[in-house]
């Protein structure tokens, strides 16, 4: 049985390399050809695309999804979903999570990849249940990372929990490119022995080993790999689709995909890459191998965030010091995987620790929230000295339950707050996730008099549960 390919050029590839700036207009002309390829799925929504559509491109993300659905007649569409955080950075009540899943599937999503930045399975269950209820495919992702706590037993036990919670497949989400080839063999073999679910591997080329990692993973039984068309592949993106297809050609893992079709698609995206290089949107720096990734276990996007934070403070000379501080902060905070939003929390705290000259002299609100249990449970306990210094008396208010259990239902409140702008049911969700950005977009939409196409909008699925 050949390995299957999930194509990421319409989501993670442009998010990783050109700041999620590919517009719907740039996507639509090539969709018909992409639909003929025979991909397992095309990842085209979720992650940072939603925010970027509203904030930078002045597009309605829901309209983008509907247009993509109209074009992809034979191909499954996939999105990335941050568990109880949906596509934002904080936890949302269950009714908002459920309604977002419902609307995503009603507007065209088939597969929802659900992850949690702490691998706390309690933060995944609501989204998994809602996806199953709507007839979608719930793929649960393990946020892959390294550290004392992350043994093969840990990954196998977590995978078993994922299968028990009703997931349809498992994704190894290697957001920082830390999975090296030999470990991929071990990990895939272990997961295959622990569960009966199909395994999808997602990695980034940041550390330079991703193609070799895919090869070893597939040989070990990995069912699906995530790749990007070559113009927006490599660097902080995924390995190139055409290269992986060629690598497996005429072997037992042959993808069966037509290289000539893929080359035609690559030729379409090539000018978009050139344009991004000329405008500076695509920084050649992110295309190289960054070996710091393996040394500091820091995702590529987090590295660039640290650089810009230090630049703003005129403290670029502190870069190395901050990189050394990141693993220490991570350990203090229970050794979480570094993925949105935990990567930003750890990175920003490391910057403060270095710039103030005293560790935790200044603690961010998000650092406090992690220590208070508001993001969920970490694999390791927190450093008690840090808890004492940062929280003091507040430490007694820490929670151990699932954070969303403490949240009141929120849909009615969001609906009330934004009703003057509402043109479709989905607008409530755009507002719930990004209130200021969505309000700006709604005002822009009114000024441009570009209303929602009422015929295309989903009007059957009312507030959840019906």
């Amino acid at each position: 049985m050949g390995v299957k390919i999930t194509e990421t050029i319409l989501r993670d590839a442009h998010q990783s390399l050109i700041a999620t700036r590919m517009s719907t207009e740039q996507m639509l002309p090539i969709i018909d050809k992409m639909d003929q390829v025979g991909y397992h799925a095309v990842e085209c929504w979720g992650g940072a695309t939603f925010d970027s559509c509203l904030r930078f491109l002045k597009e309605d993300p829901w309209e983008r999804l509907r247009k993509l659905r109209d074009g992809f007649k034979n191909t499954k569409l996939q999105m990335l979903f941050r568990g109880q955080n949906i596509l934002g950075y904080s936890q949302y009540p269950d009714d908002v999570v459920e309604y977002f899943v419902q609307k995503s599937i009603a507007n065209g999503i088939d597969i929802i990849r659900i992850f949690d930045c702490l691998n706390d399975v309690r933060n995944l269950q609501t989204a998994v249940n809602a996806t199953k209820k709507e007839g979608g495919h719930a793929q649960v992702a393990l946020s892959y990372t390294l550290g004392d706590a992350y043994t093969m037993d840990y990954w196998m036990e977590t995978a078993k929990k994922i299968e028990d919670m009703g997931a349809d497949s498992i994704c190894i989400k290697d957001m920082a490119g830390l999975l090296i080839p030999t470990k991929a063999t071990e990990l895939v073999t272990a997961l295959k022995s622990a569960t009966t679910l199909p395994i999808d591997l997602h990695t980034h080329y940041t550390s330079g080993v991703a193609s070799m990692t895919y090869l070893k993973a597939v040989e070990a039984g990995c069912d699906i790999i995530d790749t990007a068309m070559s113009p927006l592949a490599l660097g902080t993106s995924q390995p190139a689709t055409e290269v992986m297809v060629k690598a497996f050609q005429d072997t037992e893992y042959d993808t069966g995909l037509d290289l000539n079709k893929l080359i035609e698609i690559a030729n379409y995206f090539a000018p978009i890459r050139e344009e991004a290089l000329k405008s500076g949107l695509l920084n050649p720096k992110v295309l190289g191998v960054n070996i710091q990734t393996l040394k500091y276990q820091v995702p590529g996007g987090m590295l660039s965030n640290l650089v810009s934070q230090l630049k703003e403070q005129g403290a670029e000379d502190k870069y190395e010091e901050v990189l050394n501080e990141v693993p220490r902060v991570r350990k203090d905070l229970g050794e979480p995987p570094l993925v949105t939003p935990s990567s930003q929390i750890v990175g920003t705290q490391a910057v403060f620790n270095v710039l103030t000259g005293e560790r935790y002299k200044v603690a961010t609100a998000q650092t406090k929230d992690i220590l208070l249990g508001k993001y969920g449970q970490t694999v390791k306990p927190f450093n008690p000295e840090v808890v004492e210094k940062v929280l003091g008396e507040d430490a007694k208010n820490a929670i151990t339950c699932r954070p969303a259990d403490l949240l009141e239902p929120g849909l009615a409140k969001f609906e009330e707050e934004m009703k003057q702008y509402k043109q479709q049911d989905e607008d409530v969700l755009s507002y719930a996730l990004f209130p200021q950005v969505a309000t700006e977009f709604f005002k822009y939409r009114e000024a441009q008099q570009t209303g929602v196409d009422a015929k295309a909008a989903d009007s059957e699925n009312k507030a959840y549960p019906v």
Side-chain angles (χ1 to χ4, degrees), residues 23-34 268 272:
S23 66
T24 306
E25 212 170 88
Q26 288 175 307
M27 297 174 183
L28 294 178
I30 196 63
I31 281 175
D32 186 46
K33 287 219 166 68
M34 289 180 74
Y268 174 82
I272 294 174

Side-chain angles (χ1 to χ4, degrees), residues 84 91-92 94 120 122-126 373 376 399-407:
Q84 211 68 32
Q91 299 240 329
Y92 291 92
D94 287 341
D120 184 341
R122 300 173 307 170
N123 293 334
L124 304 167
Q125 190 72 65
T126 299
I399 61 168
T400 54
C401 64
R402 182 185 75 115
D405 287 342
L406 302 174
L407 300 176

Side-chain angles (χ1 to χ4, degrees), residues 247-389:
F248 291 118
Q249 208 172 40
D250 301 326
T251 72
E252 60 186 293
Y253 313 110
D254 197 323
T255 62
L257 304 191
D258 182 339
L259 264 174
N260 291 322
K261 276 189 182 139
L262 292 173
I263 288 164
E264 227 180 301
I265 294 163
N267 289 340
Y268 174 82
F269 285 107
I272 294 174
R273 172 196 168 95
E274 289 312 307
E275 198 183 301
L277 272 167
K278 270 187 208 145
S279 69
L281 198 54
L282 175 52
N283 183 337
K285 271 186 188 166
V286 301
L287 296 172
V289 168
N290 192 333
I291 211 61
Q292 307 277 33
T293 301
L294 290 175
K295 186 177 175 188
Y296 298 107
Q297 300 171 29
V298 173
M302 185 177 168
L303 286 169
S304 46
N305 275 349
L306 292 179
V307 171
S308 63
Q309 281 184 22
L310 291 170
K311 206 172 185 175
E312 276 170 28
Q313 301 297 324
E316 286 163 283
D317 58 319
K318 304 277 193 205
Y319 182 58
E320 200 68 29
E321 216 179 312
V322 169
L323 280 181
N324 281 310
E325 178 64 5
V326 165
R328 290 199 287 266
V329 172
R330 182 178 170 231
K331 220 166 176 100
D332 291 337
L333 301 186
E335 214 168 48
L338 295 178
V339 64
T340 306
S342 55
S343 52
Q344 287 90 328
I345 297 168
V346 169
T348 304
Q349 189 59 55
V351 169
F352 275 117
N353 286 1
V354 169
L355 293 188
T356 58
E358 183 190 325
R359 303 187 78 233
Y360 302 101
K361 181 180 181 180
V362 175
T364 67
Q366 289 81 7
T367 295
K368 288 175 185 167
D369 284 348
I370 274 207
L371 295 172
L372 285 166
K374 290 185 182 178
Y375 285 91
Q377 191 170 13
T378 52
V379 180
K380 283 284 199 70
F382 304 127
N383 178 339
E385 289 169 20
V386 171
V387 173
E388 173 59 34
K389 182 164 185 178

